[in-house]
């Protein structure tokens, strides 16, 4: 028995969680409390996913030991010399080793129960109490810590109140049962059951969409032509949303400028108004100052602390929306540019990839990703890789749906995952059990979590790479992981027939279900919801496959892209194509301007170096012209060589400087918050800066 594999998984999971958070978050700008809370939420959720297979294999080994143990009665004498019988367990031997083989990753029995208690209850405390308060704290418009906490508590009062009413009704229902007694373990089981049932409800809805959309998206990414039409349509809609977000922000900034104009520097409210102004990126502050407003739009009586708090909250939300749409627009434009380059280079006979805009890469990366290798990957191999991966994912989705429909049937066993786990147990192939379990749970997580980011109603949240995700979206992602991961793992244990309360059989429970409990505290939940509600995944998958949701939204006026394009869809796709063309021309002009500026800097630098080096020579030429005329050709030749050397040296210096600093492509500003760099638009100002 060793804890080496467990410690290795704990360390590797932390590295994975920290790396992902570093890619999407901004450790240097986000508040340390937000970063640590999200890191703990992600880390503990990932640990549940990666450690659960170890619990499954350990339980399989313990069950094997129990099945091969028989009991005999042996006489035993006590202190009074009376003979008594004692039941002694014996394990049936098999040659030189025992029948049951010890798993390579076996964990001691006293480790996993304690670990599950820490992981589950810490994640539940975060997702139901800490993270919702922090999320409301980031949106609060108050100017003090006390005021923000008060606003966050009020904001969550309705949220917690609804759950309190539901919990009270359930407790009254349980108290009315004559054979039910309240104690602390029962209350914990009720709380866990309620949380897991809530998570299972949303899990089924999200999986019904993701199990179809993920394989279909991978398949579509293999062929750039049809995908471009879909992305052009998306660009037209996103540009409209981006323009609306900017107009909304400008309206609030106009009100802020009026407040700054009307409030005198000696007024105590001036500090609060300047706090709102400091939240703005430099570009928006300059735009606000250039715009003339009517100072009579707001009366003196309207300028009070309450109105500034309301304006502060509105500006925070408007900034979040503007930054989200700007980030989505930048990432979408980059994706379309890349697909257009692939579509244009597919028919190239040179087998040499020529992008529209040369990416900034380091020297070693440029050597590895040569244009020839890039062409073979993007124009030839990636298509077949994506199609093969889509087929594998589609097959996995079919297995998940079939197992969800049949996992409650214990005899005969119809669940594919249960059949595989049972076969692996017979051959003691614990490694295969762990690999399949991790892959299946991870795939279900990707299908569920990616769906949330695609739902139009929840478009307030967006995870953007290159440190562009705001605090509000990071906190929401942490809440989502903590709420959906435990019920997803319980559902997976049901798929592999390791939950005795679902298949109604005598089985050895995993330590996970012993600590987590079962979702059968209420008869209405155990008898119907937990068994038959997962069957709804089939209906949701069929609705997603035939795009019934998109067709319904289009019918009621919310235009969506469908395969059989109508006139409105075609017009929006053409509008998106023109927007991308305009964006490409703007990007090309910015790069041309940057190239001209670099050339001017190079020439100026080289000319200055040349004048400094040849200054003494020019003075000597004035005093002795005849001597210089004798060696004109040699001096000119040396000066030309010297000039060429200085030009190359300056080119390398400025090239290194440009390569190591982000280029300002659109705005021309070098400020961190307002520059439009290759890594995307800069994140908004930290919401905790004013406190």
């Amino acid at each position: 028995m060793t804890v080496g594999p467990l410690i290795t998984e704990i360390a590797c999971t932390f590295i994975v969680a920290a790396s992902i958070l570093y890619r999407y978050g901004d450790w240097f700008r986000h508040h340390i409390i937000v970063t640590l809370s999200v890191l703990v939420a992600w880390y503990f959720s990932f640990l549940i996913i990666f450690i659960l297979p170890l619990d499954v294999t350990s339980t399989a080994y313990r069950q094997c030991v129990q099945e091969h143990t028989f009991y005999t009665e042996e006489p035993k004498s006590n202190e009074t010399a009376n003979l008594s019988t004692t039941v002694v367990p014996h394990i049936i031997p098999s040659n030189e080793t025992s029948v049951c083989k010890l798993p390579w990753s076996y964990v001691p029995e006293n480790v996993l129960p304690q670990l599950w208690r820490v992981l589950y209850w810490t994640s539940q405390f975060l997702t139901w109490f800490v993270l919702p308060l922090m999320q409301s704290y980031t949106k609060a418009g108050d100017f003090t810590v006390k005021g923000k906490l008060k606003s966050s508590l009020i904001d969550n009062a309705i949220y917690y109140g609804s759950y309190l009413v539901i919990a009270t009704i359930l407790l009254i229902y349980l108290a009315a049962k004559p054979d039910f007694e309240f104690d602390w373990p029962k209350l914990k089981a009720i709380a866990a059951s309620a949380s897991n049932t809530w998570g299972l409800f949303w899990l089924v809805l999200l999986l019904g969409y993701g199990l179809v959309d993920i394989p279909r998206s991978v398949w579509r990414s293999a062929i750039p032509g049809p995908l471009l039409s879909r992305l052009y349509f998306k660009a037209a809609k996103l540009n409209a949303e981006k323009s609306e977000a900017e107009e909304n922000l400008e309206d609030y900034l106009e009100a802020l400028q009026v407040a700054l104009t009307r409030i005198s520097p000696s007024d105590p409210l001036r500090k609060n108004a300047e706090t709102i102004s400091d939240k703005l990126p430099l570009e928006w502050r300059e735009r606000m100052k250039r715009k003339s407003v009517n100072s009579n739009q707001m009366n003196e009586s309207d300028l009070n602390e309450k109105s500034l708090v309301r304006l502060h909250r509105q500006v925070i939300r408007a900034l979040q929306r503007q930054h989200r749409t700007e980030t989505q627009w930048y990432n979408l434009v980059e994706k379309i540019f890349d697909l257009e380059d692939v579509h244009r280079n597919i028919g190239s006979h040179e087998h040499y990839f020529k992008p529209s805009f040369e990416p900034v890469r380091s020297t070693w990366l440029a050597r590895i990703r040569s244009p020839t290798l890039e062409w073979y990957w993007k124009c030839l191999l990636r298509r077949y890789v994506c199609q093969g991966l889509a087929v594998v994912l589609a097959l996995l989705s079919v297995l998940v749906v079939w197992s969800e429909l049949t996992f409650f049937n214990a005899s005969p066993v119809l669940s594919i995952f249960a059949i595989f786990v049972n076969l692996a147990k017979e051959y003691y192939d614990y490694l295969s059990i762990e690999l399949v379990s991790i892959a299946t749970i991870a795939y279900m997580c990707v299908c569920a979590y990616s769906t949330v980011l695609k739902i139009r109603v929840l478009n307030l949240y967006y995870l953007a790479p290159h440190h562009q995700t705001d605090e509000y979206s990071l906190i929401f992602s942490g809440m989502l992981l903590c709420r959906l991961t435990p019920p997803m793992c319980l559902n997976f244990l049901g798929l592999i027939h390791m939950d005795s309360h679902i298949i109604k059989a005598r089985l050895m429970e995993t330590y996970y279900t012993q600590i987590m409990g079962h979702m059968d505290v209420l008869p209405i939940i155990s008898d119907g919801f937990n068994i038959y509600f997962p069957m709804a995944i089939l209906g949701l998958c069929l609705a997603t496959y035939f795009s019934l949701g998109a067709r319904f939204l289009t019918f009621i006026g919310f235009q969506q892209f469908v395969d059989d394009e109508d006139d409105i869809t075609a017009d929006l796709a053409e509008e998106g194509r023109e927007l991308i063309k305009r964006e490409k021309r703007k990007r090309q002009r910015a790069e041309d301007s940057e190239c001209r500026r670099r050339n001017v800097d190079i020439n100026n630098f080289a000319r200055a170096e040349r004048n400094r080096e040849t200054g003494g020579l020019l003075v000597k030429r004035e005093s002795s012209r005849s001597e210089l005329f004798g060696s004109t050709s040699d001096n000119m030749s040396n000066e030309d060589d010297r000039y060429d050397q200085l030009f190359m040296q300056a080119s390398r210096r400025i090239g290194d400087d440009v390569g190591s600093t982000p280029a300002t492509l659109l705005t021309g500003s070098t400020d961190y918050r307002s520059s439009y760099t290759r890594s995307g638009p800069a994140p908004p100002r930290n919401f905790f800066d004013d406190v």
Side-chain angles (χ1 to χ4, degrees), residues 131-143:
L131 294 179
L133 291 176
M134 293 179 63
Q135 195 175 33
S136 300
Y137 188 94
T138 59
K139 296 188 303 180
D142 301 85
F143 300 97

Side-chain angles (χ1 to χ4, degrees), residues 462-482:
Y462 183 73
L463 294 180
H466 307 298
H467 319 293
Q468 298 300 315
T469 308
D470 56 30
E471 295 173 323
Y472 194 71
S473 299
L474 286 176
I475 294 174
F476 174 78
S477 65
M479 293 170 53
L480 185 70
L481 283 172
C482 291

Side-chain angles (χ1 to χ4, degrees), residues 603-620 639 642-643 645-647 649-650 653:
N603 292 331
N604 292 337
F605 181 81
R607 188 178 297 109
E609 291 289 332
R610 180 185 177 189
N611 292 337
R612 187 176 62 182
E613 294 293 335
T614 60
L617 183 60
L618 293 176
V619 174
K620 186 177 181 181
E639 290 177 15
R642 179 60 178 168
Y643 180 80
Q645 295 176 1
L646 293 174
F647 186 85
Q649 181 181 3
R653 291 182 181 178

